[in-house]
Amino acid sequence: MKTTKYIIIILVTFVLTGCTRDNFLDFQPKGKVIPSKIEEFRALLDQVEPDPNVNFTQGFGTHHDFTIIASDNYLLTEQARASFGISPEEINLYLFKEQISTENGDDNNWIRYYNQIYVANVVLEGLKTVENGTPEAIAEVRADASLQRAFAYFNLVNIYSVHYNPETADTDLGVPIRDGIELEGADFTRASVAEVYNLILNDINNNIEALPDLQPANLSFRPSKAGAYAFLARVLIYQAKYEEALEAANKGLALKNSLRDINNDPADPRDANVLAYPLAVQDEQLIWFKDSGGFTLVTTPEFYGLYDDNDQRKKWFADARTYFFAEIDNPVLVAHRANNNTNVSLTTADLYLMRAECYARLGNIELANNDLNTLRVNRFKTGTYVPVNITDQDDLIAFVKDEIRREKAMSTLRIFDIKRYNRFDNDNITVTHSFNGETVSITPNSLNWALPIANNYILANPEIEQNPRQ
C-alpha cells in the first residue's frame, strides 16, 4: 500500500543505533527541504513504506513480524530452512538466545520503531511553529503523529519488557522514551513500564477527537477515530482494565462494525483449496493498516488442530508438498501470499473479539457468546455453522482465547498474549522450541519473555540497561 509522495524531506535521524552522541540534527542543511508547512508534515507521515532512494524513514505502514516465530503457533524445522531459508536472527529468537541480533548487528525492529518515534517527534515539534493550515488540519496531523508514536511504543514495550503488572509497573524496566528531536546529550535511560503505558494512553486519549471517524480504504495507513478506539481497547486489555476496554471497543464498533464473510474470499490461483486474503484495500473489515511483510510459517499440530473441519479459516493453510513441492509434513500458512496482504493491525474482527473477551471476563455471558457468533458465522462454510452457547465463565474465556488464535493466524500478538495470560490468568503456558538438536523451554513469567536489546545499542548508550536473563 503506497501513497504519492508530494515532497522529499530529508532528515538525519538517530535511532539508538551505533551512532555516537555527537550526532546532531542540522535544521538548515544546504540544498535540503525542511518541513515547515502543514502539507509537508502530512507528507512526512504519509511515508508508508521504506523508500530505497530516501533514507529518512522506515515508513509508518511497516510493522514487525519476527515475534510470531517465538510463539507456540509455528515451527522452525530443518525442512523449513531447506525450503524457505531461515536467518541466524530467526533461529536465535526461536531458541530465545541471550542475543537475537548477530554480533555487532542491528535489531531491525528496534530501529523501525525508534525511527517512527523520531519522525513523529519531528512532526509534533514542527507543528508548534507551522506556517499554514487551519486549526482543525493541524490538530488532525498532530493526532496522526501522536497515534503513530503510541503504536510504536506499544510494540517496543511489549517486545523488550516483561508484561504490564500493576503492582510492579512503576519499577519494571520499560524502554527509553525519546523526547523531542535533540540528539546531542540525549539520555536513553529506560523508562518504567508504567511510564511507557502512560505515554501511550496520553497520546491516544488526548488526540482521538481530532481524528476522522474512518479513513478511506486507500488511506487506511492513517489512524482514524475507529482505529484509535480499537487500539485503546487493546492497550487497556493488556492492563487488565476490562471495563474501560469494553467502553473503547463499543465506541470503535459504533463507528465501524462490518465483517467480511470469508466464504467470498478468492481462491489462491496456486491452489484452489486455499482461501487467500483479499487485497488490503478491498478488505471491508480493515480499520488501520500495518504491514508485517509476512513469513512462510509451518504450523504446530496443536495450533492447526484448533480449527474445525467446516471452519473456512482452515483453508488459510496449504499442504507444503503440493503448494511448494517441499517435503514438509505440517500445513503452512499461505493465505497472505496471493494478494500480498500482510496486514497485522486492527480490524473490526479485533473489535468483536476484544469486546467478547471483556464481556466474558466481566460476566456478561450472553453478550460474549453473541459477539463470538457474529464473527464465527462469517468464518464457517455457509450453512454449516452451529452457534456456540458457552455458559461457564472460565470455559467461555478459554474459548475466546482460542478464537483469537484462530482469527489472528498471522498475528504477531500471540507472544504478547501468552505473557498477559500468564500474568493475569495464571494460564501457566510454557513454550518449548527445538531446532538442530537444541531444545529450550520458556516457563510462565520467565524473564526471558522480555527479549534482549542488541549489544551495540548498549555499547553506544551505556545507560540502557540490558534485560536480565534466566
Side-chain angles (χ1 to χ4, degrees), residues 141-355:
V141 173
R142 181 182 298 114
D144 189 324
S146 298
L147 265 293
Q148 300 285 14
R149 180 172 70 176
F151 200 94
Y153 275 121
F154 176 78
N155 283 311
L156 285 167
V157 77
N158 281 287
I159 293 171
Y160 300 104
S161 302
V162 297
H163 194 78
Y164 180 90
N165 181 344
E167 296 179 358
T168 60
D170 286 330
T171 55
D172 288 335
L173 288 172
V175 293
I177 291 177
R178 182 67 179 91
D179 291 321
I181 58 177
E182 295 299 327
L183 298 174
E184 189 172 5
D187 183 0
F188 300 118
T189 300
R190 295 175 69 175
S192 70
V193 168
E195 289 172 320
V196 179
Y197 266 85
N198 288 340
L199 183 153
I200 293 166
L201 290 169
N202 286 336
D203 271 356
I204 300 170
N205 287 320
N206 293 339
N207 292 281
I208 285 182
E209 292 304 318
L211 293 166
D213 288 353
L214 299 169
Q215 296 286 359
N218 65 329
L219 296 178
S220 59
F221 52 82
R222 295 179 184 174
S224 64
K225 198 171 291 181
Y229 279 124
F231 180 35
L232 177 60
R234 178 167 290 166
V235 174
L236 293 168
I237 284 175
Y238 273 50
Q239 294 181 292
K241 297 178 179 179
Y242 302 116
E243 291 184 356
E244 296 175 55
L246 175 60
E247 181 181 359
N250 277 326
K251 289 180 177 179
L253 283 167
L255 294 167
K256 184 168 183 175
N257 58 22
S258 56
L259 285 169
R260 191 178 84 248
D261 184 345
I262 68 170
N263 286 284
N264 301 322
D265 284 354
D268 188 318
R270 193 166 183 172
D271 185 341
N273 294 314
V274 171
L275 283 180
Y277 297 147
L279 291 168
V281 293
Q282 296 174 354
D283 187 351
E284 61 190 278
Q285 62 188 33
L286 177 62
I287 298 176
W288 191 358
F289 176 85
K290 294 284 184 179
D291 183 7
S292 71
F295 276 106
T296 300
L297 297 160
V298 181
T299 61
T300 63
E302 182 268 339
F303 174 50
Y304 188 67
L306 293 176
Y307 294 94
D308 293 338
D309 287 341
N310 286 323
D311 190 334
Q312 295 291 74
R313 292 171 296 193
K314 201 168 189 177
K315 293 185 176 181
W316 289 344
F317 306 87
D319 185 332
R321 286 165 294 203
T322 57
Y323 195 92
F324 294 109
F325 304 102
E327 290 302 317
I328 296 174
D329 295 329
N330 294 31
V332 178
L333 177 67
V334 296
H336 59 289
R337 294 177 62 90
N339 289 313
N340 194 30
N341 181 355
T342 52
N343 175 60
V344 292
S345 189
L346 293 157
T347 69
T348 52
D350 290 299
L351 281 168
Y352 280 106
L353 286 167
M354 288 189 288
R355 191 168 71 174

Side-chain angles (χ1 to χ4, degrees), residues 364-433:
N364 199 325
I365 304 301
E366 180 181 1
L367 291 181
N369 277 288
N370 288 348
D371 277 345
L372 288 170
N373 288 322
T374 298
L375 173 67
R376 284 166 58 82
V377 73
N378 289 285
R379 299 298 182 257
F380 274 62
K381 185 178 180 180
T382 303
T384 67
Y385 183 62
V386 178
V388 297
N389 183 24
I390 304 167
T391 56
D392 180 84
Q393 185 178 20
D394 290 339
D395 290 345
L396 182 57
I397 292 171
F399 190 90
V400 171
K401 292 175 180 178
D402 285 344
E403 191 66 19
I404 291 170
R405 289 180 75 184
R406 286 186 283 263
E407 180 67 20
K408 306 291 290 179
M410 200 177 68
S411 173
T412 59
L413 291 175
R414 175 59 181 167
I415 183 176
F416 300 168
D417 284 341
I418 291 172
K419 290 165 67 175
R420 71 183 178 97
Y421 299 154
N422 284 340
R423 172 71 68 204
F424 296 125
D425 302 333
N426 295 317
D427 275 9
N428 294 317
I429 300 171
T430 293
V431 172
T432 299
H433 288 162

